[in-house]
Amino acid sequence: MIILDIKNLTLEIESNGVLVKALDKVSLTIQENEIRALVGESGSGKSLIVRAISGALPPQWIVTADRLTWRGQNLLSMTRAQRQAIMRRDIAVIFQDPLASLDPSATLKDQLVESIPQEFIPKGWPWQRRKARLRIAQQIMRKVGIKDVHAAINKYPHELSLDICQKFMIAMALVSQPTLLIADDPTRGMETNTKQQILTLLAQLNKTRNLSILFVSHDLIAISAMAHSMTVLYCGQSVESGKMKAMRRRPLHPYTKALMDSAPSFSPDLIPKSPLVAMDGTIPTLQHLPIGCRLGPRCPRAAKECVQVPEERSINEHKYRCHYPMHVESV
Amino acid sequence: MIPLLSINQLTFKPTKKWEFMVPSTDFVLGPVDLTINKGESIAIIGQNDSGKSLLAKLIVGAVTPTSGQISLNGQQLDPNNTKARASDIRMMFRQSSESLNPGISIGTMIEEPLRLNTQLSPEMRLEKVLKTLTLVGLMPDHYYFYKHMLSEGQQQRVALARALILDPQVIVADEPFAALDPSVRSQTVNLLLTLQAELGLAFIFISHNLGIVRHMSDRTIVMNEGQVVEVKDTQAMFADPEHPSSQKLINAHKALLTY
Ligand SMILES: Nc1ncnc2c1ncn2[C@@H]1O[C@H](COP(=O)(O)OP(=O)(O)OP(=O)(O)O)[C@@H](O)[C@H]1O
Ligand code: SF4
Ligand SMILES: [Mg+2]
């Protein structure tokens, strides 16, 4: 069953005095129990999607969508209170910058205890309830791999190292036992051991607790280790989505292909220090978006038709937006 | 042949006021011995808090060592005169968001080292800044942008531009690839490989991305609790890590790959 359904999400923002479509008809769905990766270049709009789902956008930005629903309920038309209730109990978000999203003036304990839903605390005297809360808080902190919980729990965010803050953000998100976890680059800059620990924890929660995950990252190795399916974003447009395996083996969109080629670890035969396959150029600024397919100027397969925006097409579960897709014959 | 950079018995012992920045009070870095040749890439890997970033800061002179020397082209560097080495050894910091000033435009920010360290005219500076912006995969337009208008990866490229602008001999980079997206990361890797081949640039980088470490570096240094525990040619290190902490890191990387 689809729990989160996004169809043609468009986000218009004012940047340097002009109104630009930072997201242009983005579609994305998340099934129950699914781990979906959202990948794309820096500046492609991944964090904007996360913010649009959570409703954390400045009021002057214009959001439109054919569908933006949570279990069939329209997130855009419901009241603020209803939306907040969903964000508190069903969907948890780990934002990209841990320090900016933690309260600098409260200890980890205070912040975490605050996020524990009331119904998790057994009835009892206030001091019993306080103790129960503390126990839950410590438990979850241990679970995400924070080593010295007793020392860390009474500290303020700025007193702790970045990777403890990152782990703590994950603890904060998991403490309400959400149905869907949206994690924006949660393992960025983590060393391999810690990263593997976090990925294992998330994969395990997915299996044992049916946690669905939207995993935003450009760490392709981490993504292919855990995601079932993937949506690729380029320049504010969703260009391809489908099952992880199929997309790795036979990407249809030239950009997905370039993405896959860029991880040296995926090509074991690569000669050390040889140049990596890389697409020329760089993602354009929002002020100078090319017309038609936004990949056009960088795309090795581009041809005349590409000045028209490609419509979304699909082959079975596999969706793509490209006039001249690859591997189509073999799908 | 005189090595480009040679590090001799370098140590760092935190004094009291450093206490909050290091893992424990008995933390000591080094002694570290290391030589680096022109055009060579050295990767530093290790757990968090193993002293990697501190070693990087000691090499660029952002932190003064407790003892030991660093020489560039056979010339011993004065630990208290960091300005002299500023144009030859450039540091690219990890958190570009922390190291970039939000109040000035990207162009001005990249130009700053030129103003402070060279006699170039304003026109020549502008030309150099625009060239460097393109070199790191940004647009000339970005000259007029401010930090908050860039995504994280674009900010990282600004940090690389700032490091390259003075045509240094050594670049020391703390997690230069972490915030880069795949296609730009490949471009950056290619760019650094080209710059190394053309200019003989030496590159010392800290990275958790062992795929890139394996592809790019000639030698890999493994650090653990302030000590260099293993130094080897990269390919040999990945084939046969000897120290337990090297084994742990490299095996975790291989485990992720075999899913
Ligand atoms: N407050 C803002 N004002 C103007 N433009 C913005 C703002 N926030 C984001 N943008 C622009 O929107 C685009 C998408 O940004 P976003 O942060 O979603 O990228 P991202 O895909 O998350 O990148 P990264 O991988 O670096 O986190 C970028 O071009 C960025 O410059
Ligand atoms: S539509 Fe054209 S430019 Fe766009 S990805 Fe396909 S071939 Fe390339
Ligand atoms: Mg982001």
Side-chain angles (χ1 to χ4, degrees):
Chain A
M1 200 186 88
I2 293 176
I3 48 175
L4 183 72
D5 189 358
I6 302 175
K7 174 98 181 158
N8 291 339
L9 171 69
T10 298
L11 177 66
E12 288 172 90
I13 66 179
E14 201 191 295
S15 180
N16 280 9
V18 276
L19 207 58
V20 289
K21 284 187 183 159
L23 296 177
D24 185 23
K25 297 197 180 160
V26 170
S27 296
L28 176 88
T29 58
I30 296 168
Q31 305 271 349
E32 218 156 22
N33 297 349
E34 181 183 43
I35 304 183
R36 177 174 288 270
L38 176 60
V39 294
E41 232 158 321
S42 190
S44 59
K46 302 181 298 293
S47 301
L48 292 180
I49 295 181
V50 172
R51 290 172 67 188
I53 298 170
S54 65
L57 293 176
Q60 70 274 23
W61 291 9
I62 307 163
V63 190
T64 48
D66 292 349
R67 272 202 298 280
L68 180 57
T69 60
W70 171 250
R71 292 187 182 284
Q73 299 162 269
N74 186 344
L75 286 172
L76 290 178
S77 65
M78 67 178 52
T79 65
R80 229 179 120 83
Q82 282 171 320
R83 188 159 187 178
Q84 278 170 352
I86 290 177
M87 294 312 299
R88 199 167 48 242
R89 282 313 317 275
D90 298 322
I91 307 180
V93 183
I94 303 170
F95 288 103
Q96 192 168 18
D97 183 357
L99 284 178
S101 19
L102 289 171
D103 180 353
S105 65
T107 61
L108 298 197
K109 185 174 110 191
D110 291 344
Q111 304 191 43
L112 189 52
V113 159
E114 176 112 323
S115 318
I116 303 174
Q118 283 305 321
E119 53 272 36
F120 289 8
I121 317 287
K123 297 233 158 12
W125 298 101
W127 54 271
Q128 287 174 317
R129 293 169 65 88
R130 216 168 17 245
K131 223 166 145 187
R133 282 203 192 90
L134 185 63
R135 201 170 49 239
I136 296 176
Q138 287 171 337
Q139 212 173 14
I140 190 91
M141 283 175 72
R142 236 172 266 126
K143 208 161 168 182
V144 297
I146 296 177
K147 278 187 199 106
D148 197 350
V149 172
H150 285 280
I153 200 164
N154 290 314
K155 294 228 161 79
Y156 293 88
H158 66 89
E159 297 178 300
L160 294 160
S161 70
L162 189 67
D163 69 312
I164 295 187
C165 290
Q166 277 175 301
K167 288 180 187 171
F168 181 71
M169 289 291 295
I170 300 172
M172 288 273 284
L174 292 176
V175 77
S176 61
Q177 301 186 0
T179 319
L180 171 65
L181 174 70
I182 300 179
D184 193 350
D185 217 352
T187 57
R188 177 175 48 152
M190 281 186 179
E191 40 126 341
T192 330
N193 292 328
T194 319
K195 182 161 56 181
Q196 205 199 1
Q197 204 181 347
I198 297 291
L199 296 178
T200 310
L201 171 72
L202 294 180
Q204 187 195 348
L205 288 170
N206 169 257
K207 284 214 181 68
T208 58
R209 298 279 184 80
N210 299 336
L211 177 71
S212 305
I213 303 172
L214 179 63
F215 190 83
V216 183
S217 175
H218 23 67
D219 184 346
L220 286 169
I221 297 178
I223 286 166
S224 28
M226 70 180 305
H228 307 132
S229 56
M230 169 159 88
T231 296
V232 179
L233 205 67
Y234 181 77
C235 221
Q237 296 176 328
S238 44
V239 296
E240 184 169 1
S241 69
K243 292 267 176 276
M244 190 66 218
K245 276 215 184 78
M247 287 181 67
R248 250 190 88 173
R249 210 175 315 133
R250 277 190 295 271
L252 297 174
H253 198 282
Y255 182 69
T256 314
K257 168 91 171 70
L259 214 55
M260 293 299 156
D261 284 343
S262 69
S265 309
F266 286 168
S267 332
D269 306 329
L270 199 68
I271 300 161
K273 297 209 135 193
S274 59
L276 301 173
V277 183
M279 201 168 242
D280 285 344
T282 172
I283 190 164
T285 57
L286 291 175
Q287 287 73 26
H288 290 101
L289 292 173
I291 51 163
C293 176
R294 290 182 176 180
L295 189 64
R298 300 178 66 190
C299 180
R301 294 168 77 87
K304 211 166 110 209
E305 222 179 313
C306 303
V307 294
Q308 304 293 333
V309 179
E311 288 299 314
E312 183 171 272
R313 273 167 265 197
S314 64
I315 303 175
N316 304 325
E317 302 266 285
H318 203 144
K319 300 200 173 75
Y320 63 97
R321 275 173 192 271
C322 172
H323 293 297
Y324 306 105
M326 311 189 307
H327 301 299
V328 176
E329 319 74 44
S330 57
V331 177
Chain B
M1 195 181 85
I2 305 169
L4 179 58
L5 194 72
S6 83
I7 294 170
N8 197 349
Q9 290 289 305
L10 197 69
T11 69
F12 181 80
K13 227 196 200 100
T15 50
K16 280 280 177 271
K17 67 178 188 264
W18 275 88
E19 223 160 38
F20 69 100
M21 294 195 69
V22 293
S24 61
T25 38
D26 48 3
F27 178 91
V28 187
L29 185 112
V32 175
D33 285 294
L34 189 69
T35 58
I36 297 148
N37 295 316
K38 252 177 106 110
E40 204 181 10
S41 291
I42 298 208
I44 308 176
I45 65 174
Q47 300 222 342
N48 288 350
D49 298 335
S50 58
K52 294 172 301 196
S53 300
L54 182 57
L55 178 59
K57 287 183 190 150
L58 287 166
I59 295 174
V60 294
V63 174
T64 310
T66 311
S67 65
Q69 302 87 36
I70 301 178
S71 316
L72 183 72
N73 294 316
Q75 292 269 320
Q76 192 172 319
L77 297 171
D78 177 355
N80 298 314
N81 185 356
T82 50
K83 200 153 185 222
R85 74 174 95 170
S87 48
D88 290 324
I89 307 178
R90 298 286 292 167
M91 175 97 186
M92 216 179 124
F93 284 100
R94 166 156 49 181
Q95 281 297 314
S96 53
S97 34
E98 280 164 31
S99 55
L100 301 181
N101 181 342
I104 58 178
S105 77
I106 300 301
T108 314
M109 208 176 319
I110 299 175
E111 191 188 349
E112 197 176 23
L114 284 178
R115 253 188 302 115
L116 297 177
N117 296 286
T118 69
Q119 321 286 276
L120 296 182
S121 68
E123 296 76 36
M124 285 157 85
R125 289 202 301 259
L126 177 66
E127 189 185 332
K128 179 100 187 148
V129 171
L130 294 180
K131 212 176 106 203
T132 311
L133 276 172
T134 329
L135 197 66
V136 297
L138 292 167
M139 301 290 197
D141 283 4
H142 284 117
Y143 190 100
Y144 304 100
F145 278 48
Y146 287 84
K147 195 194 110 175
H148 74 273
M149 296 155 71
L150 298 180
S151 75
E152 305 251 342
Q154 291 165 333
Q155 293 179 25
Q156 190 74 8
R157 279 176 254 172
V158 173
L160 179 61
R162 258 178 77 104
L164 286 172
I165 193 102
L166 291 175
D167 302 321
Q169 303 187 49
V170 183
I171 287 191
V172 180
D174 196 345
E175 288 289 352
F177 307 112
L180 293 185
D181 32 80
S183 87
V184 177
R185 190 175 60 214
S186 301
Q187 287 176 8
T188 313
V189 169
N190 291 348
L191 169 69
L192 285 162
L193 288 170
T194 319
L195 289 175
Q196 284 188 297
E198 282 174 8
L199 313 170
L201 192 69
F203 186 51
I204 304 172
F205 68 108
I206 298 171
S207 183
H208 294 310
N209 186 331
L210 299 195
I212 298 268
V213 166
R214 183 176 197 166
H215 185 71
M216 257 204 101
S217 65
D218 299 291
R219 267 187 296 157
T220 301
I221 297 176
V222 182
M223 291 194 69
N224 188 35
E225 292 178 357
Q227 303 302 311
V228 172
V229 295
E230 195 170 350
V231 186
K232 264 212 288 233
D233 277 359
T234 298
Q235 301 312 319
M237 180 72 86
F238 277 79
D240 178 27
E242 284 168 75
H243 192 273
S245 34
S246 323
Q247 288 170 350
K248 211 170 150 204
L249 289 166
I250 289 171
N251 293 341
H253 170 69
K254 289 182 178 162
L256 275 178
L257 282 179
T258 54
Y259 271 83

